[in-house]
Amino acid sequence: MTSIMLSDLQDITKHNIQTFRRRYVSEISGSLGDLGTFLPIAIALAVNDTVSLSSTLIFSGIYNIITGLFFGIPLPVQPMKAIGAVAIARSFSNGTIAAAGLFVSICVLVFSITGLLHWFTNAIPIPVIKGIQVGAGLSLIIAAGGNILSSLSWIHPSWADNRIWAVAAFLALLCSHIYRKVPYALLVFILGLVFAIIHTATGPSARLPSFQLWRPTANVPGPHEWLVGTIDAGIGQLPLTTLNSIVAVTHLAGDLLPEVRTPSTTSIGFSVAAMNLVGCWFGAMPVCHGSGGLAAQYRFGARSGSSVMCLGVLKVLVGLIFGETLVDLLKRFPAALLGVMVIASGLELVSVGESLNTSDARDLANSQHVLSEGECRKRWTVMMVTVGLLVGFKNDAVGFSAGMLCHWAYDLPAIIEKAKARWSEGRIRV
């Protein structure tokens, strides 16, 4: 077993190194693809003193390095969005958000140890999984338009952040579909950082980052914080983490990177659990993996674990050296550019639904069966029911439940006919 693990690690390391040598610019650009999701939530939580920005950068950076090293794919380290949304709206204390993240991680750890995650993955139909992925992509696009870009006008709030820049960034995104070798995310990030530095330096009350070494402090949630964090945020996050951050991301990795060994759902589950069972005690933001982040990093050029390892090194260094003094600067990163990056990742995730009824779908890859028109329509309907209810109710669990009910409804006539046949044969007795 040990020799097999060492052999796998050697193969992954070789893949990371070779990919980085061939396309280091694309790998670095791809590593920045998920910042449109990471930065807004991390900044909002840090401004409210709900999390420590320095701890969040350092621990998420370490997780980036470890996941890139052991999985060999650009696996993102994202905020737990449901927990983040509740924590921002209700100004959670550090202990409360830590309790929420720890609760989810303990549950995921139990699911991984007992094998429930593996069973869960095999039991969910592919149309439902793709529905979750497409729904997550549409949710990102809606969030970008409704939350990030909606506050912009044509010339406000500033010369560096307005609809004009959003339109320019979107046009550049369209051009990047033609000129794939252009490191779009890297260029947009550098431009946004320059704008943020200029805006911060010329602002009346803002201050540029300064040297401030990280000073870790432990934080133990109290009984009331455990209660509020678990009930008000943790329970709502659990289906999102299980479905999107573990099951969907595993399938998406197999679809986007078939040449690389796809991580198992159990290993992804252990990864999510381990990240928060360490970082949450030190004020770090609860994090997970996610199909949206993987799609974003792939869209902007990432093809190996070396991509997120580069991002991890950058996060650790910045967090160690500048710490909380980064908040003012990151608050001024142009929403116009962040919003378009989020739209790009959403579009990439939505596109995976295209392969539902082709040989690229995992359940059809090794099958000689050709789908009939009725079977194609059934699979498409199940996927779209999942998408529609997920987006409509803004809840992965609702979309998943609706998709499964639709799938079972299609199978019900066959089940009834089979039961009738068994009855007529005398194999079922009252």
Side-chain angles (χ1 to χ4, degrees), residues 127 356-357 364 369-382 410:
L356 174 66
N357 293 323
L364 302 177
H369 176 66
V370 178
L371 294 177
S372 65
E373 183 178 344
E375 289 172 321
C376 290
R377 190 181 301 113
K378 166 192 166 183
R379 289 165 64 90
W380 180 260
T381 302
V382 171
Y410 272 113

Side-chain angles (χ1 to χ4, degrees), residues 92-430:
F92 272 4
S93 67
N94 193 268
T96 306
I97 195 172
L102 289 167
F103 166 77
V104 173
S105 297
I106 291 169
C107 292
V108 170
L109 180 63
V110 172
F111 295 162
S112 302
I113 292 173
T114 58
L116 282 174
L117 275 179
H118 181 70
W119 174 85
F120 199 53
T121 303
N122 293 331
I124 302 175
I126 292 297
V128 175
I129 291 175
K130 286 193 176 290
I132 293 169
Q133 294 170 338
V134 173
L138 288 175
S139 297
L140 285 174
I141 296 171
I142 292 170
N147 300 334
I148 302 176
L149 298 175
S150 61
S151 61
L152 303 178
S153 68
W154 287 108
I155 57 175
H156 292 99
S158 73
W159 63 268
D161 192 14
N162 49 55
R163 288 182 187 174
I164 295 174
W165 281 111
V167 171
F170 185 73
L171 292 175
L173 175 66
L174 296 179
C175 293
S176 71
H177 283 277
I178 303 172
Y179 303 101
R180 287 278 182 175
K181 292 185 178 181
V182 176
Y184 176 85
L186 180 60
L187 295 176
V188 169
F189 177 74
I190 292 174
L191 179 64
L193 194 60
V194 170
F195 284 174
I197 291 172
I198 295 172
H199 197 194
T200 304
T202 57
S205 59
R207 57 192 178 94
L208 289 170
S210 58
F211 181 76
Q212 185 184 81
L213 282 177
W214 178 53
R215 296 178 181 177
T217 55
N219 181 46
V220 180
H224 180 70
E225 291 174 323
W226 275 107
L227 181 65
V228 174
T230 298
I231 295 176
D232 293 357
I235 293 175
Q237 178 67 48
L238 191 56
L240 180 61
T241 294
T242 305
L243 296 171
N244 185 50
S245 301
I246 299 175
V247 176
V249 79
T250 304
H251 282 264
L252 184 63
D255 291 340
L256 296 181
L257 300 160
E259 70 281 0
V260 185
R261 181 178 177 181
T262 303
S264 67
T265 50
T266 302
S267 63
I268 296 292
F270 278 124
S271 176
V272 170
M275 288 191 299
N276 296 288
L277 289 174
V278 176
C280 285
W281 299 106
F282 297 93
M285 176 177 63
V287 292
C288 58
H289 305 302
S291 56
L294 176 57
Q297 290 171 169
Y298 180 89
R299 166 64 184 82
F300 292 121
R303 297 294 184 272
S304 75
S306 64
S307 176
V308 289
M309 291 173 72
C310 291
L311 177 62
V313 171
L314 177 63
K315 283 182 180 179
V316 171
L317 291 176
V318 170
L320 284 172
I321 296 171
F322 297 110
E324 307 304 319
T325 67
L326 283 166
V327 173
D328 272 354
L329 175 64
L330 294 180
K331 279 171 61 179
R332 285 163 174 75
F333 195 96
L337 304 183
L338 273 179
V340 175
M341 290 177 71
V342 173
I343 289 174
S345 61
L347 291 173
E348 185 67 31
L349 195 51
V350 167
S351 69
V352 304
E354 181 184 5
S355 64
L356 174 66
N357 293 323
T358 70
S359 58
D360 292 333
R362 182 167 297 194
D363 58 340
L364 302 177
N366 299 316
S367 174
Q368 301 298 319
H369 176 66
V370 178
L371 294 177
S372 65
E373 183 178 344
E375 289 172 321
C376 290
R377 190 181 301 113
K378 166 192 166 183
R379 289 165 64 90
W380 180 260
T381 302
V382 171
M383 183 181 77
M384 293 311 298
V385 166
T386 306
V387 172
L389 273 292
L390 187 156
V391 173
F393 285 88
K394 300 180 181 179
N395 189 306
D396 284 46
V398 173
F400 167 74
S401 300
M404 291 301 298
L405 287 172
C406 183
H407 173 77
W408 289 331
Y410 272 113
D411 287 347
L412 188 59
I415 294 173
I416 294 174
E417 288 299 322
K418 187 176 181 179
K420 286 181 177 178
R422 290 168 66 90
W423 175 274
S424 63
E425 294 170 3
R427 295 165 64 187
I428 299 178
R429 300 182 184 277
V430 180

Side-chain angles (χ1 to χ4, degrees), residues 13-101:
T13 302
K14 182 179 179 182
H15 169 70
N16 286 340
I17 293 173
Q18 289 180 343
T19 305
F20 189 78
R21 284 178 175 173
R22 286 199 316 269
R23 37 184 299 130
Y24 60 92
V25 175
S26 295
E27 290 293 294
I28 294 172
S29 177
S31 71
L32 305 172
D34 193 37
L35 290 182
T37 302
F38 184 89
L39 285 181
I41 297 178
I43 293 168
L45 291 172
V47 168
N48 290 343
D49 290 325
T50 301
V51 301
S52 164
L53 182 61
S54 54
S55 293
T56 296
L57 289 172
I58 291 167
F59 280 101
S60 65
I62 292 172
Y63 305 150
N64 280 133
I65 295 170
I66 293 174
T67 54
L69 180 65
F70 282 94
F71 292 129
I73 62 174
L75 193 64
V77 176
Q78 295 183 315
M80 287 190 175
K81 298 181 186 65
I83 290 178
V86 175
I88 293 168
R90 297 183 53 181
S91 298
F92 272 4
S93 67
N94 193 268
T96 306
I97 195 172

